[in-house]
Amino acid sequence: MNAAAWPTTLSRRLPWRRRPIAAAVRTLASWSAVTRLQTRGHLMWPAQQITEARRVAQGALDDPDRSPATVADTLDITLPPQVREAGPGAEQLALALRHARRDAGQLATAAPRIARRTLRRLAADLAEAEATFDRVCNDVRGADLRTADLTHLYLGGLRWDAATQWPDAWRDRIRADSDTVDGIHQIRDH
């Protein structure tokens, strides 16, 4: 490929028109509440990495002197096997992250206007994924969790409401460990 064709080809190839990372996280959000709760500890790590990648992408947008190579480094996210095996969307997320990392690595050689536009799209994709990951990891409002084994799970930060159904043995403990704001309960961190 010649140097003159590179920016045009890159701009057509970059996938951030459809926000593939956010789409994959939305698929994770379709998992049952029990599955999300039981994999929550493993989902929180990639969620934190997505947040960091968004910060770095936004930082590269805010400071044009910052190297876009750091964006590619933050997208080097490996999903834990427990997430990959939990349900649909995990492989989709892994693939979207690999493509985003590869393409972000090419930003340094892209025309500045194309690199900036791509960074904006990537930052928006990561911001949407970050917000969806928050719901995936922390929101069980209205969920039927009666079959969930909560014995060794970290529950701090979970948001729930009156419609949430907890296992009988846990109901009183959950209520005692929660704070209520505007009808939404949140389990306190211990």
Side-chain angles (χ1 to χ4, degrees):
M1 176 182 317
N2 66 38
W6 172 252
T8 305
T9 304
L10 179 67
S11 66
R12 272 190 249 135
R13 223 173 26 84
L14 292 176
W16 289 297
R17 287 186 184 96
R18 292 185 200 95
R19 298 189 178 167
I21 297 170
V25 178
R26 281 192 304 273
T27 303
L28 299 180
S30 71
W31 293 356
S32 75
V34 172
T35 300
R36 287 186 291 119
L37 187 58
Q38 291 175 334
T39 58
R40 182 175 183 237
H42 302 291
L43 287 168
M44 290 174 93
W45 185 84
Q48 291 169 347
Q49 298 302 308
I50 293 282
T51 297
E52 180 60 22
R54 188 220 16 103
R55 285 184 189 137
V56 170
Q58 190 61 52
L61 277 171
D62 295 342
D63 181 4
D65 294 331
R66 190 179 289 182
S67 170
T70 58
V71 176
D73 293 341
T74 61
L75 290 167
D76 188 13
I77 302 169
T78 303
L79 298 179
Q82 296 85 345
V83 172
R84 287 180 176 259
E85 297 164 2
E91 285 302 320
Q92 178 186 357
L93 178 58
L95 181 64
L97 288 167
R98 270 197 311 274
H99 285 256
R101 183 174 193 268
R102 179 200 63 210
D103 293 340
Q106 297 172 351
L107 290 175
T109 59
R113 193 178 95 229
I114 291 172
R116 188 154 182 77
R117 180 180 50 198
T118 301
L119 272 173
R120 272 195 310 271
R121 289 178 178 160
L122 174 59
D125 188 11
L126 292 169
E128 185 179 331
E130 178 182 19
T132 305
F133 249 128
D134 179 61
R135 288 191 311 274
V136 167
C137 293
N138 298 314
D139 195 340
V140 294
R141 290 180 288 174
D144 183 356
L145 302 171
R146 292 177 292 181
T147 61
D149 179 9
L150 307 179
T151 308
H152 299 288
L153 299 180
Y154 171 69
L155 302 176
L158 276 180
R159 293 183 299 269
W160 60 279
D161 61 12
T164 306
Q165 298 176 1
W166 296 99
D168 292 335
W170 285 81
R171 191 172 303 123
D172 293 336
R173 185 185 313 175
I174 296 293
R175 286 189 181 151
D177 289 346
S178 298
D179 295 319
T180 305
V181 177
D182 297 329
I184 298 173
H185 307 279
Q186 185 167 1
I187 300 175
R188 288 185 295 276
D189 287 325
H190 292 290

